[in-house]
Amino acid sequence: MSEPTRMDTTGRHNSSDRLKSLERITELPLMLASFTLMPILTGLYLWDLSPLETRIYSQAQIAVWGLFSVALLAKISVAPDKLKYIRKNWLEVLLVVIPVIRPLRILRAFIWIARDITRMNRLITLESLLAYGIGMVLLAATVVTTVERTADGANILSFQDALYWSFVTVSTVGYGDHYPVTVVGKFTAVFLMLFGIGIFGAVIGKLISILSKN
C-alpha cells in the first residue's frame, strides 16, 4: 500500500471514530430534546396560550430545532463520506430542513426507547433510564394538560401544574394538591405510578450494579 493511500485510509478511520463518538455523545441530549417537543408542539397547536406563553413556546421550538441542526451539521462535517452519510440519514436531514414534518422528531425518542428495550438489559445505561424517566414525565404532563385544563372541576389548569403533578406522581409521593378528574387523566396517573415504581427500581438496580463493580 502506498503512503498516500495508507494516510487516506487512516484519515477515514479516524473520521469514522469521531463520528461514532459524536453520535454517542449527542444521543441522549437529542432524545431529551425530542421529548421536550411534546409539550412545546402540543401547547402551540392545542392549548389556549397567553401571548407571553406563545412567545416562550415558539422560542423554545426554535432552540430545539437549532440543537438538532447543529448536531446534524457536526455529524456531517466529521463523516468520512458526507454524501453517503446524508443518504443514509435522509430522514434526519428532512426533519431539520422541512418545518412541517419536524413534529415527527418526537417519534425518534420512542424509536430510541424501543431499540434499547430490544437490546440486552446490560446495554441500557443509567443515563438512558433517567432520560426515559424525564421523557415519560413530560409525556404524562402533556397529556394531562391537554385533557384537564378545560374539564369541569379541574385543578390542573396549566402545563406547570401538570409538570409538578407528574413529577410528584412518578416519584410515588402523591401530595394530592393536584389530581386529574378526567378518565384519560386518571389512566395516565395509574400508568405514571406504575412506571415510577419500575423506573426507580431499574435505577436502583443499575446503581447497585455500578457500585458493586467498583
Side-chain angles (χ1 to χ4, degrees):
M1 183 182 293
S2 63
E3 187 65 26
T5 302
R6 185 160 49 246
M7 291 177 62
D8 183 64
T9 302
T10 302
R12 284 179 172 272
H13 182 71
N14 291 337
S15 295
S16 180
D17 288 342
R18 287 197 298 270
L19 177 60
K20 291 178 181 178
S21 177
L22 184 59
E23 289 178 333
R24 185 171 58 253
I25 292 171
T26 59
E27 182 175 23
L28 285 178
L30 291 179
M31 181 167 62
L32 288 173
S34 297
F35 279 127
T36 63
L37 280 178
M38 291 185 293
I40 291 172
L41 295 176
T42 305
L44 286 172
Y45 294 108
L46 296 181
W47 301 342
D48 184 19
L49 301 176
S50 67
L52 176 60
E53 289 174 327
T54 300
R55 186 162 61 251
I56 292 173
Y57 278 52
S58 298
Q59 291 173 350
Q61 182 185 19
I62 294 172
V64 171
W65 171 80
L67 177 62
F68 293 146
S69 301
V70 170
L72 177 62
L73 291 174
K75 293 173 187 176
I76 292 174
S77 68
V78 301
D81 188 333
K82 295 174 175 50
L83 290 178
K84 181 179 179 181
Y85 182 84
I86 291 173
R87 288 195 299 268
K88 181 181 179 181
N89 298 274
W90 59 270
L91 181 57
E92 293 284 342
V93 176
L94 292 180
L95 288 173
V96 169
V97 174
I98 304 178
V100 70
I101 67 170
R102 285 175 194 162
L104 293 178
R105 171 65 69 169
I106 297 172
L107 297 178
R108 290 305 305 274
F110 294 99
I111 291 173
W112 276 316
I113 293 176
R115 184 201 61 193
D116 267 3
I117 290 175
T118 57
R119 292 176 175 180
M120 294 180 65
N121 182 62
R122 62 185 176 84
L123 297 178
I124 301 178
T125 65
L126 178 62
E127 291 82 2
S128 64
L129 285 172
L130 293 175
Y132 302 155
I134 294 173
M136 291 301 103
V137 165
L138 289 171
L139 173 61
T142 301
V143 171
V144 167
T145 302
T146 303
V147 300
E148 292 287 324
R149 58 188 291 138
T150 57
D152 293 336
N155 60 87
I156 299 177
L157 305 177
S158 66
F159 179 69
Q160 292 89 334
D161 290 342
L163 189 61
Y164 164 77
W165 166 84
S166 190
F167 271 111
V168 169
T169 302
V170 79
S171 66
T172 68
V173 174
Y175 290 121
D177 49 349
H178 288 288
Y179 52 88
V181 297
T182 64
V183 174
V184 174
K186 291 176 180 179
F187 272 110
T188 303
V190 171
F191 163 77
L192 201 54
M193 284 183 279
L194 294 175
F195 176 82
I197 295 171
I199 198 70
F200 276 111
V203 168
I204 292 172
K206 282 293 180 181
L207 286 173
I208 292 174
S209 177
I210 292 171
L211 293 174
S212 65
K213 293 178 181 178
N214 295 334

